């Protein structure tokens, strides 16, 4: 009898897997913090005999190499991947014996990357699950534009063909277990559920219900912005990442926090946007620990810039540090826990700014600047007439484009508006953070234009 455990990485919208029998197991696409996988294997009482990668990842730092070294497992990486470390190169049709009845079969599925490989888990020769990585996702596929712009259309066509190969070769009841699609920007669109099978995807997945030309045209038209930090993930994974260092960072007092801000370093407040608006260190930036912390902080921060973290508790700080090592932000320069009153120098007071709803905006006097920080693809649906549009990931470089006056900043739900509001506040602007769902803008009577 086999088992499959899902190991969620919700901050990045990804999953990895532990699968095996009573004694041995394989790990698929592990994140960098391998202690969670080791704990899962210990709970099962199994030895990790194999670690496999479906591709060289663009959205997170792999833990595969370190996990294989720690456990002595064979490390299977697609043969076409250009990596600089020792591994077992795996090619289409190759098999790995996981247990007496369990076999892992490699299936070449190019598209997300040229070397992408899915792995079919077979019990007694019968396919029971397909670890599809960034190929066939739930209702969608992995995006084909992360490798090289000149290859994007070619890879999109390969993605269509790979999806059809999986659907053609596997029984309807085969579970489809992707790595991406749960919020990751590696997905070409949001996954449409939590679990699926080949049979379900045959009728629901855009790659399997459209002809190749239509699929490719629609896929390319719908591609969204690529997080800037993706540029660093592939090379880091190809070189072989160092082990994650989760040791607590050095403690910063109020004077050191002030000094680091004065030197142009980033001081990031991990507390909720509600708490941050109510009081924070002047010049600090708000990236909520409970949001997509790793994605947006890694996207916005200049790569390699020192960072100091401010948290309300040691637990919040440790969780954030774990999130950040997954995207290559390895060691905070310093950190502090507590409250803003403890983080400002004697004689200074925390700053604050107001939060509001779209109804509040509708009732304002009309002299305010309305700043929309959603992505281009979101604004095409509808936007507030007269609003200025600067996506949050571009705001740092385009602050000078925000017109004078009090800025009411909004996104689709409030999290990105809070990031943008903190950036504007740090730049000395008067700001109001609209902490509301965009659907409420229409209900509030604000004038909307369709994109």
């Amino acid at each position: 009898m086999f088992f499959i455990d899902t190991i969620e990485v919700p901050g990045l919208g990804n999953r990895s897997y532990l699968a095996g029998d009573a004694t041995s197991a394989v790990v698929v696409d592990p994140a960098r913090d391998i202690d969670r996988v080791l704990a899962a294997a210990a709970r099962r009482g199994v030895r990790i005999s194999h670690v496999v990668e479906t591709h060289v990842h663009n959205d997170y730092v792999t833990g595969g190499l370190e996990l294989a070294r720690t456990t002595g497992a064979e490390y299977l990486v697609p043969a076409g991947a250009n990596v600089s470390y020792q591994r077992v190169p795996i090619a289409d049709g190759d098999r790995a014996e996981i247990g007496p009845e369990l076999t892992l079969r490699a299936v070449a599925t190019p598209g997300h990357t040229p070397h992408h490989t899915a792995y079919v888990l077979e019990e007694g020769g019968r396919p029971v699950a397909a670890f599809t990585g960034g190929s066939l996702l739930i209702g969608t596929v992995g995006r084909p534009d992360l490798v090289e712009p000149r290859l994007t259309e070619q890879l999109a066509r390969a993605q269509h063909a790979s999806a059809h190969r999986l659907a053609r070769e596997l029984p309807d009841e085969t579970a489809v277990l992707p790595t991406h699609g749960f919020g990751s920007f590696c997905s070409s669109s949001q996954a449409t559920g939590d679990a699926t099978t080949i049979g379900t995807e045959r009728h629901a997945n855009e790659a399997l219900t459209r002809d190749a030309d239509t699929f490719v045209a629609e896929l390319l038209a719908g591609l969204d912005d690529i997080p800037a930090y993706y540029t660093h993930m592939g090379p880091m994974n190809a070189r072989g990442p160092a082990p994650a260092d989760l040791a607590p960072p050095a403690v910063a007092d109020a004077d050191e926090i002030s000094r680091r801000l004065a030197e142009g370093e980033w001081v990031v407040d991990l507390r909720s946007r509600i708490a941050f608006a109510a009081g924070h260190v002047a010049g600090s930036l708000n990236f909520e620990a409970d949001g997509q912390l790793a994605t947006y902080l890694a996207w916005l921060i200049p790569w390699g810039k020192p960072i100091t973290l401010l948290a309300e508790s040691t637990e919040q700080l440790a969780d954030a540090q774990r999130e950040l090592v997954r995207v290559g932000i390895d060691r905070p320069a310093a950190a502090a826990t507590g409250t803003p009153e403890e983080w400002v120098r004697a004689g200074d007071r925390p700053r604050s700014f107001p939060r509001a709803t779209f109804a509040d905006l509708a009732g304002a006097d009309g002299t305010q600047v309305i700043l929309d920080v959603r992505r281009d693809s979101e604004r095409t649906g509808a936007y507030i007439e007269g609003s200025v549009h600067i996506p949050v990931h571009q705001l740092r470089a385009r602050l000078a484009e925000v017109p004078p006056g009090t800025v009411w900043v909004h996104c689709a739900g409030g999290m990105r508006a809070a990031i943008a509001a903190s950036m504007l506040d740090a730049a000395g602007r008067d700001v109001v953070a609209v902490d509301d769902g965009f659907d409420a803008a229409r209900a509030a009577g604000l004038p909307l234009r369709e994109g």
Side-chain angles (χ1 to χ4, degrees):
M1 188 67 181
F2 71 94
F3 72 87
I4 300 175
D5 290 341
T6 299
I7 300 169
E8 300 280 359
V9 190
L12 295 176
N14 286 328
R15 291 174 175 174
S16 55
Y17 302 92
L18 175 75
D21 58 15
T23 59
S24 300
V26 58
V27 177
V28 182
D29 288 346
R32 193 179 186 187
D33 49 322
I34 63 172
D35 55 331
R36 298 193 309 149
V37 179
L38 293 171
R43 286 192 296 271
R44 287 283 185 179
V46 296
R47 178 181 66 90
I48 296 174
S49 59
H50 296 78
V51 178
V52 304
E53 304 280 7
T54 56
H55 59 294
V56 174
H57 303 284
N58 288 289
D59 63 332
Y60 68 91
V61 181
T62 182
L65 180 61
E66 179 63 17
L67 182 60
R69 287 172 173 169
T70 299
T71 61
E74 291 192 56
Y75 190 29
L76 278 53
V77 177
N82 185 18
V83 297
S84 58
Y85 46 79
Q86 291 293 318
R87 92 288 196 200
V88 178
I90 198 81
D92 186 52
D94 288 350
R95 294 174 180 271
E97 302 299 323
I98 307 303
E101 294 293 318
L102 282 184
T103 302
L104 205 63
R105 175 168 59 90
V107 180
T109 48
H112 187 47
T113 66
H115 61 264
H116 192 283
T117 301
Y119 298 90
V120 176
L121 186 68
E122 299 177 344
E123 184 183 43
R126 176 180 64 92
V128 293
F131 300 105
T132 55
S135 55
L136 189 68
L137 311 184
I138 302 179
T140 184
V141 295
R143 58 194 298 171
D145 61 329
L146 303 180
V147 177
E148 158 62 57
R150 291 171 295 182
L151 294 177
T152 296
E153 182 173 350
Q154 175 185 329
L155 289 175
R157 292 189 177 278
Q159 193 72 296
H160 184 268
S162 292
H164 279 263
R165 179 185 180 185
L166 290 170
R168 183 173 61 250
E169 295 184 2
L170 297 176
D172 279 356
E173 64 271 18
T174 308
V176 174
L177 302 173
T179 300
H180 304 312
F182 311 97
S184 168
F185 281 86
C186 270
S187 174
S188 61
S189 61
Q190 184 65 32
T192 54
D194 191 59
T196 192
T197 63
I198 288 290
T200 299
E201 293 307 300
R202 202 185 302 279
H203 300 289
N205 194 292
E206 55 199 21
L208 298 173
T209 58
R210 293 168 173 80
D211 64 84
D213 289 340
T214 302
F215 166 77
V216 169
E218 292 180 354
L219 177 61
L220 298 184
L223 291 173
D224 214 330
D225 299 327
I226 301 173
Y229 76 92
Y230 278 25
T231 302
H232 306 280
M233 298 297 96
M236 189 177 295
N237 286 324
R239 289 193 304 269
D245 182 357
L246 296 175
V251 176
D253 61 15
D255 287 337
E256 183 172 357
I257 292 169
S258 177
R259 177 182 64 78
R260 290 185 177 279
L261 281 167
E263 292 176 355
E265 296 184 11
W266 274 35
V267 173
V268 172
D269 191 324
L270 301 167
R271 296 173 303 138
S272 75
R273 56 185 182 261
I274 298 172
F276 183 88
H280 56 270
V281 177
S284 62
L285 304 176
N286 183 215
F287 290 80
E288 292 181 299
D290 293 336
Q292 288 181 283
L293 167 67
T295 295
Y296 280 99
L297 181 52
W299 193 342
L300 271 65
I301 192 170
W303 194 254
K305 180 175 277 292
I307 183 173
T308 295
L309 299 178
L310 306 180
E312 61 188 6
S313 67
T314 55
E315 291 79 14
Q316 185 180 66
L317 176 61
D319 288 346
Q321 196 174 344
R322 180 179 291 271
E323 289 276 342
L324 295 178
V325 298
R326 293 170 179 162
V327 292
I329 300 177
D330 283 7
R331 292 295 302 160
T337 58
T339 66
E341 289 75 16
E342 299 171 85
W343 302 332
V344 298
R345 293 179 302 177
D348 291 344
R349 298 182 61 183
R351 280 181 61 87
S352 64
F353 55 75
R355 296 166 49 250
T357 65
F358 281 109
D360 296 325
L361 177 57
D365 62 13
T367 63
Q368 65 281 340
V369 177
I370 303 174
L371 177 63
D372 179 351
V373 296
R374 296 174 300 161
R375 297 186 299 277
D376 291 345
S377 59
E378 296 172 281
R379 190 170 166 93
T380 58
Y383 61 91
I384 300 171
E385 287 187 9
S387 60
V388 176
H389 179 226
I390 303 177
V392 69
H393 59 275
Q394 299 176 12
L395 182 59
R396 180 175 58 86
R398 298 175 60 187
L399 282 170
E401 298 178 31
V402 181
T406 300
V407 184
W408 289 57
V409 58
H410 80 85
C411 60
M415 181 194 74
R416 288 171 293 170
I419 296 172
S422 73
M423 297 178 76
L424 289 160
D425 178 75
R429 297 297 302 270
D430 291 329
V431 64
V432 178
V434 178
D435 193 358
D436 204 357
F438 189 72
D439 289 345
R442 190 182 302 277
L446 286 162
L448 300 186
R449 293 184 68 91
E450 305 303 320

